[in-house]
Structure formats: C-alpha cells, structure tokens
Amino acid sequence: MAAPLKILVVEDDRVYAEFVVATLRGAGHELAHVETGAAAREQVGAMQPDAVVLDLTLPDESGFDIARALRGGLLSDGSVIILLTASMFPDRDTAEAIGIDIVLSKPVTAELVIGIIDLVHARRQRR
C-alpha cells in the first residue's frame, strides 16, 4: 500500500460505518467518521481528507448535496469522493456531473472499498 490516506466516512448507519472505518483503518489509513452533512462540512475543513466515503441518504441532506458543497471548494481537487447507496439503480449521471468519482451499491466488501480508494487516489495523483 502507498502512504496512508486521510479518509472521512459520512454514514448515519453506525453498524455499516463501523465496518467501513474498521476496514480502512485496518488497511493503515487515518479515519474520521461523522453522521450528518453539517458535520461532514466541518470535518472536511478541519481534516482536509484525501478521500470521502459518502452515504447517499443522511438525516439532514442528500449525499449529492454534500458532494456539491465539497466539490464547490471545501475539498481539494485531488480528493476522491466515493458514494455509497442502498439503491440498485443510483443516478450515476448526476453523480458524475457533481464530481463524484465512484458510486457503489451497498453492501460492499472490505476488499472492494480498499481497492477502489487506492485505485482512484493513485489515478488522481498521476494527473
């Protein structure tokens, strides 16, 4: 694995969040977890993460709205946004237009999450 990444997990389902956090922490990355869009904005400002793993449906707003705000200047251009959704048919066109790098339908495996973050981050670093 390359150097550890700073990753923010934005997920209101605590069981699922614990799985994602434990998986990525076990791969050597630095993790923070929040449950709302408001907390995500605050944490991004404090942390400046390399990647954000973002749930589509949160208690205060949609993952699309949060991603728009992050891509609107809160997040660095080289950072990765991975959207997690329970939908079998997510709106990939909207996700792409916003600047979301990858859309994954839940459930995901630990290996997939790690692999996607490593792959997308490596690709962005080459730009």
Side-chain angles (χ1 to χ4, degrees):
M1 181 187 83
L5 301 175
K6 292 186 290 184
I7 302 171
L8 174 61
V9 175
V10 185
E11 170 66 65
D12 63 324
D13 179 327
R14 289 187 182 186
V15 173
Y16 203 78
E18 287 174 11
F19 159 73
V20 174
V21 167
T23 296
L24 295 171
R25 191 171 280 139
H29 298 297
E30 179 184 326
L31 271 289
H33 167 242
V34 296
E35 297 181 359
T36 66
R41 286 177 176 82
E42 184 177 312
Q43 188 65 36
V44 163
M47 181 184 191
Q48 285 302 303
D50 300 301
V52 177
V53 178
L54 177 61
D55 186 19
L56 179 59
T57 307
L58 294 164
D60 59 342
E61 61 188 308
S62 87
F64 287 146
D65 292 336
I66 297 164
R68 273 187 201 95
L70 297 181
R71 288 292 184 222
L74 295 176
L75 198 60
S76 72
D77 289 340
S79 296
V80 175
I81 299 177
I82 297 173
L83 186 72
L84 296 178
T85 177
S87 172
M88 293 301 294
F89 305 104
D91 186 348
R92 294 181 189 281
D93 291 336
T94 298
E96 184 178 331
I98 292 170
I100 294 170
D101 297 283
I102 301 287
V103 178
L104 299 175
S105 293
K106 296 176 185 178
V108 295
T109 65
E111 294 80 11
L112 179 62
V113 173
I114 292 168
I116 291 290
I117 285 182
D118 290 346
L119 176 70
V120 175
H121 189 263
R123 183 176 48 178
R124 283 187 167 262
Q125 293 305 318
R126 286 193 299 254
R127 290 183 186 171

